[in-house]
Amino acid sequence: MKEYPTEPLKCWQKAKKIREDYYKDFAAAKEKGGIRWAGGAWSFSAIPAGLGDDVYCLTGEPYGASVAWNKEFALKCQEATEAKGYARDLCSYMRNYWGSILLNKYVFGGEFPKPDFIWQDHICCSHAKWYQVASELEGGIPHFCIDVAVGPYHDLNENRLNYVVSQLHDGIEWLEKVTNRKYDDKKLIEAVYNECRSTSLWAEICVLNKAVPAPLDEKTMYSLYVLGTLMKHTKVVADFYEELRDEVKDRVARGIAAVGNEQCRVITDTQPPWAFLNIFRYLEKYGCVSVGSLYTFGLIGMWEVQEDGTWGPRKTPQQKGIKIRTRDEALRILAEWNLARPEWQHFYSPQLKSEMMIRIAKEWKLNGILLHYNRGCEGLSLGIAENRLALMKAGFPVMTFEGNMGDEREFDEARTIARIDAFMESLGMSKLKE
Amino acid sequence: MFQKFKEWYENRHDYAKEWKEKTGGKVLGYFCTYVPEEIIYAAGVLPVRIFGSHEPQDVTEPHIFSMYCPFCRDCLAQGLKGKYSYLDGIMIAQSCLHIRQAFTSWQLHIPINYSYYFLMPNKVQSPRAKPYLIGELAEFKSSLEKWSGKPISDKDLDRGIEILNVNRRLMRQIYELRRNANPPLSGLEAMEMVVSSQLVDKKEHNEELEKLLCELPTRKESRNDGVRLMIVGSENDDTQFIKMVESLGATLVIDDNCTGSRYFWNEAVADESRLVAIADRYIERPPCPSKDWEERRRLPHLLKLAKDYNVKGAILVQQKFCDPHELDIPAIREYFNKNGIPSLTLELDVTVPVGQFKVRTEAFLEMLRGEELF
Ligand code: SF4
Ligand code: SF4
């Protein structure tokens, strides 16, 4: 049996520090006279950047995931939300977030920092409503939400793009009004360049995982991709991803593996049950590495089909030599860029997700696929049963497991482990270590 | 008086098949009440809303994850079981994710020669929604032209708008009568009337409504209204449930359901451009929860209905797992409470647990009656 060399990531501590600073800075924003906003990880975060350098954000999904990771606190949040009359089957990130407001506790310590405004976009049924409720719970903070549900990218036309771009224009006027600040287009343009750079780079990093052995595994990738969900529009993140890309490239060149005994490769689809990331460690007992998920690849990565027909990073405007000069140009590029996000496509048809996953299965040389029937996210589990059928039809073994990304009451660890055992057996794998 | 509506409601499939035979026209099944029916009528196509059957089934398990609402699985089940084999096409207007799930599975597994995803904007409160919607209406119109092989003229659109507007106006007039003490129709009858309008040719439906309007104001057998209630919530065509509530000495006098008032409340107002008129109508209609943001426009609308119809309490119903309604219900409950309207929340499944609901409804009614004493 083959054993590959392994070594820790050199830039690991840096990633940790960026993340820590992000949450600290948000909490301390007021001490610096700064502005705080909250919204989703999918929101057009480059836009508030035009308000100044002292603008800090808190993106809801990664925050909800951080809460989930802290099982005890998560339970308190969920119970507080339920006590307010909200149903238990609603988005668990959202419930963790609301719970923090209700308890007035920030998962990183102290009181829950109240944002000055909310800046969100809407494609899943919960998006706009999440912050409608958050705004009310916070005593009525101003709230602006952009409707991005304009159909799949391959059907994009002028009318659809204009709908999003014109809302972005309105949004900027609104931001000026609620913050009483003058908007700086230069800062916007910078942020757009950064966002394109960091999201294209993340796709490039994921592509490097096509290598055997895979230089990264899913669990590690979560700690890295998260930076893009926090502030994809910043130079800090774009620069970090450049550094990471170079390091991962070097790992591939030197044959460094994420899982030393890699024998078998799988991928997952949506968010994992955050409180139980140890299932990925369990896979390693079989020499099985999860090389990522459609979620990590497609939420932060921006992709396009390359000249050789494979999936790879999308060319940024800078790489194409495009010079952004005006606000309108910046907004058009930003809108178009975001509308191509892989994770937005399958809101319109499960087939689009199945096609992406089949492509990944082939190009990343997978032996099987794990589908998380995630009770915590209605958005990304949309059409999941159809994905299962399509993947099996395409000849890929599929294991499903039911769980919840943010509410541990809905995850049965023992049952999932038993399923993994059965699945590994069906793939002809046996446990290499206990 | 309401017999015809009940018949239509119960024999919807036979009706559609006969309609096809009689007219040689096409039938288009739809999944959400934001579809611009005006254009479908203009094309000479019959729009029919796809509903479930309220019977337990096990055919959707491989297609829909269990955390999606029972209504969407019930709808898909009907398709998988071949109940809608007469449909020539299906369409959806951008709706909640749940019903979208039924639509996309239908596209994948039930042979059909036309399907259309109509991109209804969600942020109807944005001034940008209307121009966008007009563009989408134009796309849909040309798609229908291609499918039906006939151009749709302004005259056709006028006809479509008129058929829909008449239907809305007449149902609104009938709803007005429900404001009276001892209204001449029950909540059940109202529901069968509105739901049947989503199932049959509205020209015929309009004729039936006209007849009804002549007779209804002087209807003899008017019932004692008992406790006047409002019903608010998701899709609901559960006649058993309504019957049960009304058997307990209550009358449902008004609703905010997409199988009720939300469907027909406002008309399209004539405009030089027909598509502008249609766009206005869908932007302005009483919103579904998933389209009601950032401002909560449903709340004042609901309160106005409650006051206009002089209700004593409200039953808030939602399909199990229905996120959009689950997201609104606490706010509605609180708002109603503040405004002196007590409410009871019930969660619907494919089959209603009548016994359990009965106990809870009885207790609720008792409480409302008790309030009247003091
Ligand atoms: S349900 Fe999923 S897609 Fe929707 S807001 Fe929650 S995490 Fe996001
Ligand atoms: S009941 Fe709720 S989830 Fe189901 S179709 Fe209606 S709005 Fe959607």
Side-chain angles (χ1 to χ4, degrees):
Chain A
M1 190 195 54
K2 238 178 175 164
E3 272 288 343
Y4 301 103
T6 58
E7 67 181 37
L9 272 175
K10 294 187 192 83
C11 58
W12 186 256
Q13 287 308 326
K14 193 165 191 178
K16 240 176 118 178
K17 170 97 176 43
I18 296 175
R19 182 172 170 275
E20 264 168 32
D21 287 351
Y22 168 88
Y23 285 114
K24 263 197 220 137
D25 285 347
F26 183 76
K30 293 288 144 188
E31 293 156 26
K32 296 176 241 169
I35 298 184
R36 274 202 292 243
W37 66 270
W42 289 354
S43 62
F44 292 91
S45 58
I47 291 182
L51 293 170
D53 296 331
D54 57 348
V55 175
Y56 304 90
C57 62
L58 180 71
T59 48
E61 297 89 342
Y63 179 80
S66 300
V67 172
W69 197 75
N70 181 337
K71 290 185 206 173
E72 216 176 293
F73 184 56
L75 186 62
K76 282 194 188 130
C77 288
Q78 287 139 18
E79 285 174 350
T81 304
E82 281 156 29
K84 262 299 225 195
Y86 287 96
R88 218 176 124 160
D89 55 274
L90 289 169
C91 167
S92 55
Y93 282 169
M94 178 167 81
R95 287 185 289 125
N96 286 348
Y97 187 93
W98 291 346
S100 300
I101 301 178
L102 287 165
L103 300 169
N104 193 24
K105 276 201 179 117
Y106 194 43
V107 71
F108 303 100
E111 295 191 347
F112 190 77
K114 184 172 169 170
D116 297 299
F117 63 87
I118 286 161
W119 178 254
Q120 167 68 321
D121 55 13
H122 182 87
I123 191 168
C124 139
C125 292
S126 309
H127 282 138
K129 306 294 275 187
W130 169 335
Y131 286 96
Q132 182 176 51
V133 172
S135 157
E136 289 163 355
L137 294 178
E138 292 274 27
I141 355 176
H143 170 204
F144 195 92
C145 182
I146 290 152
D147 183 9
V148 292
V150 294
Y153 184 64
H154 64 78
D155 285 339
L156 189 64
N157 61 24
E158 268 305 290
N159 184 46
R160 293 169 189 164
L161 182 62
N162 278 340
Y163 176 47
V164 178
V165 172
S166 53
Q167 290 178 76
L168 293 176
H169 275 290
D170 294 348
I172 291 179
E173 280 175 30
W174 179 87
L175 286 174
E176 286 192 310
K177 239 195 293 165
V178 298
T179 61
N180 229 342
R181 285 192 179 191
K182 183 103 195 73
Y183 195 79
D184 183 345
D185 288 339
K186 272 208 211 85
K187 289 196 192 304
L188 164 73
I189 292 169
E190 248 338 280
V192 171
Y193 281 136
N194 282 332
E195 175 169 337
C196 295
R197 186 157 68 98
S198 56
T199 52
S200 175
L201 274 164
W202 177 254
E204 207 180 326
I205 294 161
C206 297
V207 167
L208 292 167
N209 240 20
K210 287 182 182 177
V212 178
L216 299 172
D217 67 305
E218 180 170 353
K219 191 168 179 285
T220 306
M221 287 174 98
Y222 283 128
S223 307
L224 303 167
Y225 102 112
V226 73
L227 304 182
T229 69
L230 304 177
M231 42 177 184
K232 53 192 178 297
H233 62 280
T234 58
K235 187 171 180 311
V236 179
V237 172
D239 286 351
F240 174 79
Y241 280 166
E242 216 160 275
E243 192 180 328
L244 175 65
R245 188 260 331 261
D246 293 342
E247 190 184 339
V248 178
K249 232 187 202 165
D250 176 58
R251 282 170 79 91
V252 173
R254 294 188 294 119
I256 306 293
V259 172
N261 57 357
E262 177 181 322
Q263 315 287 313
C264 161
R265 297 159 69 92
V266 295
I267 198 170
T268 68
D269 63 331
T270 76
Q271 308 93 323
W274 288 111
F276 298 97
L277 290 183
N278 55 337
I279 55 173
F280 294 110
R281 290 284 167 258
Y282 188 75
L283 284 172
E284 288 172 16
K285 293 188 192 247
Y286 286 92
C288 177
V289 56
S290 173
V291 299
S293 62
L294 182 68
Y295 179 67
T296 40
F297 283 19
L299 170 58
I300 286 308
M302 283 301 180
W303 301 78
E304 68 192 359
V305 177
Q306 312 289 293
E307 268 172 24
D308 64 359
T310 62
W311 223 28
R314 189 165 185 206
K315 260 207 178 65
T316 61
Q318 334 35 332
Q319 286 165 339
K320 286 185 182 157
I322 294 170
K323 189 115 193 71
I324 306 176
R325 283 159 314 202
T326 63
R327 178 184 297 183
D328 189 60
E329 281 174 10
L331 297 184
R332 287 186 80 79
I333 285 180
L334 186 67
E336 208 259 353
W337 186 264
N338 276 277
L339 291 171
R341 169 173 297 136
E343 276 294 4
W344 284 4
Q345 307 312 310
H346 52 83
F347 277 88
Y348 307 101
S349 150
Q351 251 169 316
L352 295 169
K353 175 171 161 190
S354 300
E355 281 164 21
M356 286 187 278
M357 294 205 72
I358 290 169
R359 175 189 275 282
I360 293 171
K362 289 182 181 154
E363 293 180 20
W364 274 256
K365 308 171 194 79
L366 305 184
N367 302 80
I369 293 160
L370 311 186
L371 293 178
H372 181 195
Y373 276 42
N374 181 358
R375 302 183 70 87
C377 174
E378 173 213 27
L380 300 188
S381 54
L382 179 66
I384 194 164
E386 296 297 355
N387 301 136
R388 176 179 159 268
L389 294 176
L391 290 166
M392 291 191 317
K393 198 166 160 212
F396 293 99
V398 179
M399 179 197 124
T400 61
F401 66 104
E402 199 159 322
N404 190 312
M405 66 204 182
D407 187 342
E408 67 154 313
R409 294 170 298 180
E410 293 195 311
F411 181 70
D412 185 339
E413 192 179 7
R415 214 169 130 214
T416 307
I417 298 278
R419 277 184 167 245
I420 291 176
D421 287 336
F423 186 60
M424 288 294 128
E425 206 172 290
S426 74
L427 294 181
M429 311 301 299
S430 47
K431 252 191 210 167
L432 304 173
K433 52 183 178 192
E434 260 317 314
Chain B
M1 253 178 232
F2 285 85
Q3 193 50 31
K4 192 83 199 153
F5 301 116
K6 188 171 159 60
E7 265 171 46
W8 278 332
Y9 173 77
E10 282 168 2
N11 306 314
R12 64 192 79 168
H13 300 305
D14 293 338
Y15 174 89
K17 286 179 206 156
E18 278 161 28
W19 184 91
K20 266 179 88 157
E21 243 164 61
K22 205 167 62 193
T23 64
K26 287 185 159 78
V27 181
L28 179 64
Y30 69 90
F31 286 86
C32 168
T33 56
Y34 275 93
V35 297
E37 281 186 86
E38 292 85 344
I39 304 182
I40 306 174
Y41 269 92
V45 171
L46 177 68
V48 165
R49 184 166 180 192
I50 293 168
F51 283 113
S53 73
H54 305 287
E55 281 162 15
Q57 47 82 23
D58 58 5
V59 294
T60 52
E61 215 41 49
H63 305 284
I64 303 187
F65 177 22
S66 55
M67 63 177 277
Y68 284 78
C69 93
F71 176 59
C72 74
R73 26 177 95 255
D74 200 2
C75 287
L76 178 65
Q78 303 310 303
L80 291 170
K81 287 168 156 181
K83 297 271 174 61
Y84 281 96
S85 54
Y86 53 86
L87 292 183
D88 300 285
I90 51 162
M91 82 173 287
I92 194 168
Q94 185 142 266
S95 63
C96 65
L97 301 182
H98 298 241
I99 200 68
R100 195 182 300 182
Q101 168 107 60
F103 171 77
T104 53
S105 282
W106 196 300
Q107 276 181 317
L108 283 170
H109 303 288
I110 302 164
I112 200 99
N113 74 25
Y114 178 79
S115 74
Y116 196 88
Y117 188 127
F118 177 72
L119 282 167
M120 175 70 206
N122 288 316
K123 190 173 182 177
V124 290
Q125 294 181 12
S126 164
R128 309 299 186 164
K130 192 166 125 186
Y132 169 55
L133 179 54
I134 293 166
E136 289 305 320
L137 289 169
E139 294 250 348
F140 176 53
K141 176 171 162 280
S142 57
S143 165
L144 271 185
E145 287 173 330
K146 245 211 242 111
W147 184 45
S148 66
K150 281 184 300 220
I152 299 171
S153 66
D154 273 355
K155 232 173 101 204
D156 293 329
L157 286 173
D158 287 339
R159 196 187 62 236
I161 292 173
E162 179 65 9
I163 293 170
L164 264 291
N165 273 353
V166 168
N167 195 250
R168 292 163 181 151
R169 200 173 308 145
L170 294 173
M171 292 206 282
R172 194 71 201 254
Q173 283 170 19
I174 290 164
Y175 261 50
E176 281 299 300
L177 299 172
R178 303 174 79 187
R179 292 169 64 157
N180 303 348
N182 295 334
L185 69 161
S186 66
L188 178 64
E189 288 166 331
M191 176 181 278
E192 282 167 348
M193 171 183 80
V194 184
V195 177
S196 66
S197 154
Q198 303 180 337
L199 299 169
V200 305
D201 189 332
K202 287 188 176 45
K203 276 173 279 175
E204 280 181 60
H205 200 261
N206 288 345
E207 285 163 20
E208 200 57 33
L209 290 173
E210 304 252 13
K211 266 198 264 163
L212 179 64
L213 256 175
C214 295
E215 301 167 13
L216 198 55
T218 54
R219 192 184 197 186
K220 294 260 165 21
E221 50 186 15
S222 68
R223 41 182 289 158
N224 189 327
D225 52 5
V227 181
R228 297 175 69 89
L229 293 179
M230 176 176 192
I231 184 160
V232 179
S234 40
E235 183 282 340
N236 177 10
D237 67 319
D238 212 307
T239 50
Q240 291 310 316
F241 171 68
I242 305 293
K243 225 187 263 173
M244 181 275 288
V245 175
E246 295 197 316
S247 73
L248 302 174
T251 302
L252 292 158
V253 292
I254 186 65
D255 69 80
D256 177 76
N257 288 331
C258 66
T259 32
S261 71
R262 276 211 301 276
Y263 174 62
F264 66 83
W265 210 241
N266 65 334
E267 294 180 29
V269 182
D271 188 282
E272 185 60 29
S273 156
R274 278 66 174 177
L275 297 188
V276 169
I278 297 171
D280 268 334
R281 192 268 157 186
Y282 288 90
I283 298 278
E284 298 299 331
R285 63 165 267 190
C288 278
S290 55
K291 294 193 166 41
D292 199 34
W293 47 272
E294 293 100 343
E295 206 188 305
R296 286 195 189 273
R297 295 192 177 159
R298 287 186 77 204
L299 296 183
H301 172 68
L302 292 178
L303 186 61
K304 183 165 186 324
L305 289 181
K307 289 207 164 133
D308 287 352
Y309 285 77
N310 189 24
V311 308
K312 288 281 162 293
I315 299 189
L316 312 180
V317 288
Q318 58 150 100
Q319 300 281 344
K320 195 166 186 208
F321 300 126
C322 170
D323 298 60
H325 285 279
E326 285 174 349
L327 282 157
D328 270 14
I329 281 178
I332 297 174
R333 204 161 37 210
E334 201 181 309
Y335 182 76
F336 269 178
N337 216 355
K338 246 193 252 153
N339 287 282
I341 300 170
S343 62
L344 167 72
T345 309
L346 297 173
E347 197 176 63
L348 294 180
D349 214 320
V350 171
T351 52
V352 170
V354 176
Q356 192 208 97
F357 279 8
K358 194 168 165 205
V359 174
R360 295 179 60 191
T361 310
E362 263 168 346
F364 180 57
L365 290 173
E366 220 153 273
M367 192 245 329
L368 295 180
R369 287 194 199 102
E371 271 178 9
E372 262 168 21
L373 292 176
F374 301 103

